[in-house]
Amino acid sequence: MALWGEKEEKKTANEEGATTITCAELLARFLQHKGVEHLFGIPGAAILPFYDAVREQGAIRSINVRHEQMAAFMADGYYRATGKMAVCAATSGPGATNFLTGLYGAYGDATPMLAITGQVPVALIGKDAFQEAPIVEMAKPVTKAAYLVDQAFEMPFIIKEAWNKATTGKRGPVLLDLPLDVQKTVLSIDLEKWLNDEEDIPSAPPVEPQAVQSALSMIRQAQKPVIMVGGGVNLSNAHQELRELAELLNVPVVATLMGKDCFPNDHALYAGMVGTICNSPYGNKTLLESDLVINLGGRFSDRTTGNLSLFTKERRFIQVNIDSEGFNKSVQADLNIHADVKNFMTELVKEIKQGTGDQGTSFKWKIKERAEEKQAYARRTDFDMYPMKPQRAIAELRKYLDRDAVVTHDCGISQILSSQIFEAYEPKSYLITGRAGNMGWGLGAAMAAKLAYPEKQCVNLLGDGSLGMSIGDLATAAKHNIPIVVFLLNNSLLGLIRQQQNMFFDKRWISTDLQYCNNGDYRGIDFVTVAKGFGLGAEQVQDPNKIGEALDRAFTSGRPYLIELLVDPQAMCSVSTDGTIGGVQEVF
């Protein structure tokens, strides 16, 4: 049954002239039919029939991890890097509950994934059986839908419904909880017909012509319109449409954290990021000079807007999003447009081209002069000191990476400094957990991206606090020979929280130091030795001028590799001190 979410009453599967197949085998065949290439997870007794079906079917590669949370992170990261669905699986009880943080991260950023959990036999549910957990009830707040399949005959319908829910509309994770006996139950079904029958998939809301006309009218009335890019551009693969619209209007583009890689950061129209934390000085300045903000696929998060009194002052707003429930939650837009952002931009561009031609000539932005002005607002990275500044380390990383390299992040000062300094050039190359801010996420995302794109450089940029939460899964990279690079900024601190203690708690430090005496070295974990113990290549770098050489060794090693960089524990990131996007204090 569907425990929550909409579900229509449907007839049982047609058994005449059909193939006999277990529910577990049916699910494995469906996933193969949908093009799923990877299964991330850990097998346990309650999920073994499904794992066995995957093995016998032979088309899906199973990647076993060291913690179920990492499996969810990998499925999440795989979709963000590729736009293709991946699946994670775990056993019942603690295996299933370990998915919750990963589901929360995917749900917060509208990332589709299918999480499959084993469950105790139907007759034991509710009887406090060994490793029984009410995972469907627990997962409800952080999934788009969650199903306990307690009747085998419903399996064919629920599988397709779950897939469609995850991948249509505002996307998100869906959980299937499969009792052990249901997985083993044999169905009689016309398999080929069932696989190839097209379901009634909900279509994206239509782009209303009046909405396009209203938006165009507001744009034409504006003197300094700006495009603000959200993560919905990535989710709808609307990068080309975005670039065409921006160049046609000839107006500046600013990015939210989730939209950073949607528009080339070295493009003449790109101003930078907007926000109180993940920001750039010129991005914030550009938004505050605008009189119209066109939010494409973003949600006006609190870290983007800051205090609304300044963010909304003397400007109008258009918000385009496939999720109408997000309208007016924070910013009261003058025009809300419920549509897929790709379809909307297609129609808007078409309307502009059919109208008065070059719409940008009437705006007051001095585009040619802005490139030089932007450079004057760039944050400093040319530090030459010991310990090295993390800003310098991040700048060196960007210098030596390919243009299409995939860089993944966790949460903390490493993420914030990267967002403020690192330039992203290609779509889906800057992977980040936005709303949830999961520490430990980036390692899984980097491994997933590398599995999808063996030819690309894939780097997890993170701090030592984050690596402490995912370090066991360095073994996953080693076991499956996933040659990522772990670029570790080690300040022996929970750096962002220490900065907050310094700024807002009068330097009253508690539990933010991670160092301790280890064989005469007072830095704590010996990450290089630990990484080598897992089977990775590893080295420590203290001179920023040696980072390029270390990266070259890492990428040519043909194996996963950790580069530990000893960075200044006093380094800080530039954040707002008054809660507004105009109150960012420049520090380093």
Side-chain angles (χ1 to χ4, degrees):
M1 65 176 180
L3 189 75
W4 76 285
E6 298 177 1
K7 181 178 183 301
E8 299 176 359
E9 292 296 324
K10 299 179 181 178
K11 298 179 181 179
T12 59
N14 180 11
E15 299 181 2
E16 296 182 5
T19 301
T20 56
I21 188 170
T22 68
C23 286
E25 291 167 342
L26 184 72
L27 178 56
R29 285 294 303 273
F30 176 81
L31 296 176
Q32 176 188 359
H33 180 73
K34 285 294 187 180
V36 173
E37 298 177 350
H38 295 91
L39 168 66
F40 307 112
I42 302 176
I47 196 63
L48 273 182
F50 172 65
Y51 264 93
D52 185 63
V54 169
R55 180 189 184 280
E56 292 302 300
Q57 170 250 107
I60 298 174
R61 182 183 178 187
S62 178
I63 303 292
N64 59 325
V65 298
R66 300 307 170 105
H67 192 289
E68 291 88 354
Q69 177 175 272
M70 186 59 64
F73 288 167
M74 292 183 76
D76 181 0
Y78 190 91
Y79 185 87
R80 297 189 200 222
T82 67
K84 299 178 182 178
M85 280 275 280
V87 177
C88 55
T91 194
S92 62
T97 60
N98 281 343
F99 272 170
L100 289 173
T101 298
L103 292 171
Y104 163 53
Y107 183 73
D109 294 338
T111 304
M113 57 187 274
L114 192 62
I116 301 167
T117 54
Q119 183 56 276
V120 300
V122 172
L124 294 180
I125 293 176
K127 298 183 178 179
D128 299 329
F130 176 69
Q131 291 193 339
E132 177 196 359
I135 189 60
V136 169
E137 291 93 334
M138 297 167 77
K140 176 181 177 180
V142 291
T143 55
K144 190 175 178 186
Y147 300 88
L148 170 62
V149 188
D150 58 1
Q151 299 184 76
F153 75 87
E154 288 196 317
M155 190 73 170
F157 310 119
I158 291 177
I159 290 173
K160 287 191 173 182
E161 183 173 288
W163 182 276
N164 291 339
K165 279 188 177 294
T167 57
T168 60
K170 181 187 178 183
R171 298 161 189 157
V174 171
L175 182 134
L176 287 179
D177 194 30
L178 307 179
L180 183 60
D181 52 338
V182 170
Q183 294 176 60
K184 296 177 180 179
T185 299
V186 176
L187 299 174
S188 180
I189 187 171
D190 187 334
L191 185 60
E192 292 304 315
K193 181 177 184 299
W194 176 76
L195 287 172
N196 291 294
D197 274 352
E198 293 296 329
E199 295 285 299
D200 292 330
I201 300 174
S203 58
V207 181
E208 299 293 342
Q210 183 57 49
V212 176
Q213 289 296 330
S214 296
L216 185 55
S217 176
M218 289 179 64
I219 293 169
R220 285 173 172 162
Q221 292 169 21
Q223 297 185 39
K224 285 191 169 184
V226 64
I227 294 173
M228 188 167 80
V229 186
V233 173
N234 262 333
L235 289 170
S236 63
N237 293 309
H239 313 97
Q240 184 56 46
E241 289 79 5
L242 170 64
R243 184 163 182 165
E244 184 176 10
L245 176 62
E247 292 177 347
L248 186 62
L249 292 175
N250 200 32
V251 299
V253 175
V254 296
T256 67
L257 179 61
M258 299 304 298
K260 181 175 174 67
D261 57 355
C262 293
F263 195 82
N265 291 182
D266 57 351
H267 192 287
L269 293 175
Y270 182 75
M273 293 188 64
V274 173
T276 57
I277 297 176
C278 299
N279 63 72
S280 68
Y282 201 55
N284 281 348
K285 179 177 183 293
T286 298
L287 186 133
L288 291 175
E289 290 177 351
S290 71
D291 61 354
L292 173 66
V293 176
I294 310 164
N295 184 342
L296 299 174
R299 61 183 181 90
F300 290 121
S301 75
D302 56 311
R303 295 211 307 175
T304 296
T305 66
N307 189 303
L308 293 177
S309 61
L310 179 63
F311 186 84
T312 60
K313 184 180 180 181
E314 297 178 350
R315 62 188 54 84
R316 304 172 76 192
F317 293 87
I318 298 171
Q319 184 174 11
V320 184
N321 207 297
I322 200 166
D323 177 24
S324 60
E325 293 183 6
F327 291 150
N328 301 325
K329 276 190 173 181
S330 57
V331 172
Q332 302 293 312
D334 299 89
L335 176 62
N336 289 312
I337 299 176
H338 183 208
D340 179 271
V341 68
K342 183 184 184 80
N343 296 341
F344 170 77
M345 284 192 285
T346 298
E347 294 303 314
L348 181 58
V349 165
K350 186 187 303 181
E351 192 65 29
I352 292 172
K353 288 182 175 179
Q354 291 175 351
T356 58
D358 183 4
Q359 299 295 308
T361 56
S362 61
F363 302 134
K364 292 188 175 181
W365 294 112
K366 298 179 180 180
I367 298 299
K368 291 182 179 180
E369 290 84 354
R370 285 178 58 82
E372 184 175 342
E373 187 180 30
K374 179 183 175 182
Q375 189 59 39
Y377 279 83
R379 287 191 166 107
R380 183 185 173 191
T381 61
D382 61 343
F383 302 97
D384 191 10
M385 56 180 291
Y386 176 84
M388 78 176 82
K389 286 287 187 182
Q391 293 92 331
R392 171 74 185 276
I394 293 169
E396 292 293 316
L397 174 66
R398 174 68 276 180
K399 184 193 305 183
Y400 288 102
L401 288 183
D402 294 340
R403 190 174 178 86
D404 65 349
V406 177
V407 180
T408 69
H409 300 77
D410 289 60
C411 191
I413 200 167
S414 60
Q415 176 216 63
I416 294 170
L417 287 173
S418 172
S419 73
Q420 295 180 351
I421 294 168
F422 192 92
E423 288 195 337
Y425 304 129
E426 298 294 331
K428 300 181 180 180
S429 65
Y430 192 87
L431 305 187
I432 204 153
T433 169
R435 178 177 161 193
N438 295 327
M439 295 174 74
W441 183 88
L443 179 62
M447 290 192 290
K450 190 64 176 179
L451 288 168
Y453 300 117
E455 75 285 359
K456 288 187 178 182
Q457 297 170 335
C458 295
V459 178
N460 177 205
L461 190 166
L462 79 171
D464 51 306
S466 287
L467 185 55
M469 297 190 182
S470 59
I471 196 166
D473 273 286
L474 292 178
T476 300
K479 172 179 169 52
H480 299 284
N481 194 28
I482 308 173
I484 61 168
V485 173
V486 178
F487 195 78
L488 173 63
L489 305 179
N490 186 2
N491 60 5
S492 297
L493 291 170
L494 296 175
L496 180 60
I497 308 307
R498 173 60 66 89
Q499 179 173 333
Q500 291 176 322
Q501 289 174 337
N502 290 340
M503 293 174 64
F504 306 121
F505 293 88
D506 196 27
K507 297 185 178 180
R508 296 191 299 274
W509 302 337
I510 179 171
S511 295
T512 46
D513 61 290
L514 301 177
Q515 74 270 23
Y516 54 89
C517 188
N518 183 354
N519 290 326
D521 194 333
Y522 204 72
R523 284 187 295 105
I525 298 174
D526 183 343
F527 286 104
V528 169
T529 298
V530 170
K532 288 181 177 178
F534 278 119
L536 280 72
E539 64 180 278
Q540 184 186 97
V541 176
Q542 300 186 30
D543 181 353
N545 297 302
K546 303 295 185 182
I547 290 176
E549 298 171 11
L551 286 167
D552 184 61
R553 286 189 290 272
F555 288 126
T556 57
S557 70
R559 62 196 292 208
Y561 205 99
L562 181 141
I563 301 174
E564 179 188 24
L565 303 109
L566 302 187
V567 298
D568 180 12
Q570 304 295 325
M572 296 190 293
C573 55
S574 300
V575 298
S576 176
T577 57
D578 66 2
T580 74
I581 64 171
V584 176
Q585 298 297 310
E586 293 301 312
V587 295
F588 49 81

